[in-house]
Amino acid sequence: MGVESVLNIITLTLYIWYNIMKRRIKDCFCLQNKTFDFGVQKIGGRFTMRIDIMKNEVVVNEKSIKIGGEIDSANAALNDKTCYDSEFYYENGDVMINIENDCISYIEIRNGYKSEKYVYFDDFEVLHENKKDVLAFLENRNEAPLIHEDEQTVVAQNLGIVIGLGISEEEVQELIRESKADGMYETMMEDIEKDIYRSMHIECIGIRKV
């Protein structure tokens, strides 16, 4: 075999190896942002959870938890359970389920500071979107004005959805004024930042029987 033939074989081998490695690198890159079959997505190096809210039902990791169903369905879909009387808490307290007569009567997902849970209703994400936009969207889907049960709670009656409003922007502005007057603004900066975030997003979203 001549030198030219050997060089051709080496060149072909290197070309094949290069394309294999390029495909592997591409596959690894795509995997970092892939939505897996069990509903968990990796974003920016962090694993997140997708929760879909429907009438009388919440779907977590493709597992259904229904109003009127048994608590075993929640146990199969969620982690880190603790129980206080008729209330069951999951996911470090971010999901609360209330039981009446051994059946699920209410499901609530709580919003944390820059929560890694993503909650959707009709493919609209409700925890990370602006609070005003979320309320406008739900009112549109409700096909009726939202009902204010109290200063902190609004209800989309036709959807069976309950929204906790949390702290208001006016309350945060008052907190900022008071902290500056007391000379505590710099000390409280981290807490104020979190309160500003909370004021721009809903505190929680829940469902009950329609």
Side-chain angles (χ1 to χ4, degrees), residues 6-207:
V6 171
L7 289 174
N8 286 337
I9 292 172
I10 293 173
T11 301
L12 179 60
T13 301
L14 288 173
Y15 177 77
I16 294 171
W17 178 84
Y18 168 77
N19 279 279
I20 291 172
M21 293 305 296
K22 184 170 69 172
R23 177 174 292 276
R24 287 182 178 177
I25 292 170
K26 181 180 179 182
D27 289 344
C28 289
F29 177 78
C30 293
L31 183 62
Q32 291 179 358
N33 294 291
K34 179 181 177 182
T35 300
F36 298 96
D37 291 339
F38 47 86
V40 177
Q41 187 176 18
K42 192 175 183 183
I43 299 176
R46 302 187 311 276
F47 286 102
T48 66
M49 175 182 287
R50 175 174 177 133
I51 301 174
D52 288 278
I53 289 180
M54 309 169 194
K55 282 187 179 181
N56 298 318
E57 182 181 12
V58 166
V59 177
V60 184
N61 298 352
E62 298 185 352
K63 295 179 180 179
S64 174
I65 308 170
K66 294 183 178 180
I67 299 295
E70 297 181 353
I71 196 63
D72 286 347
S73 61
N75 295 339
L78 300 164
N79 300 306
D80 305 319
K81 182 179 75 171
T82 56
C83 177
Y84 300 97
D85 295 327
S86 62
E87 294 181 347
F88 290 77
Y89 294 86
Y90 299 86
E91 304 297 332
N92 297 316
D94 287 346
V95 180
M96 188 275 286
I97 295 178
N98 188 264
I99 297 293
E100 291 182 10
N101 300 320
D102 297 325
C103 294
I104 296 172
S105 60
Y106 180 68
I107 306 169
E108 180 178 280
I109 301 103
R110 298 174 178 178
N111 200 356
Y113 177 62
K114 297 183 179 179
S115 172
E116 294 180 7
K117 292 177 176 60
Y118 287 76
V119 178
Y120 294 84
F121 180 78
D122 279 356
D123 284 329
F124 182 88
E125 208 287 318
V126 297
L127 293 190
H128 298 81
E129 293 292 333
N130 184 276
K131 184 188 298 183
K132 294 178 181 178
D133 294 336
V134 173
L135 295 178
F137 174 82
L138 291 175
E139 185 167 78
N140 177 268
R141 289 293 189 273
N142 191 54
E143 298 182 345
L146 301 178
I147 298 171
H148 286 258
E149 289 193 338
D150 54 49
E151 291 184 358
Q152 294 293 320
T153 310
V154 296
V155 177
Q157 194 72 40
N158 296 333
L159 304 176
I161 289 179
V162 181
I163 298 292
L165 298 176
I167 191 171
S168 68
E169 293 182 24
E170 291 75 18
E171 288 173 314
V172 174
Q173 291 301 322
E174 180 62 25
L175 175 63
I176 292 173
R177 283 193 292 269
E178 290 178 358
S179 66
K180 287 182 176 180
D182 295 337
M184 296 293 292
Y185 181 72
E186 296 296 331
T187 304
M188 297 177 61
M189 180 68 74
E190 185 176 341
D191 290 332
I192 289 172
E193 180 184 344
K194 291 179 180 179
D195 284 340
I196 290 172
Y197 180 89
R198 289 175 56 211
S199 72
M200 297 172 62
H201 302 87
I202 64 171
E203 187 82 357
C204 60
I205 183 167
I207 67 165

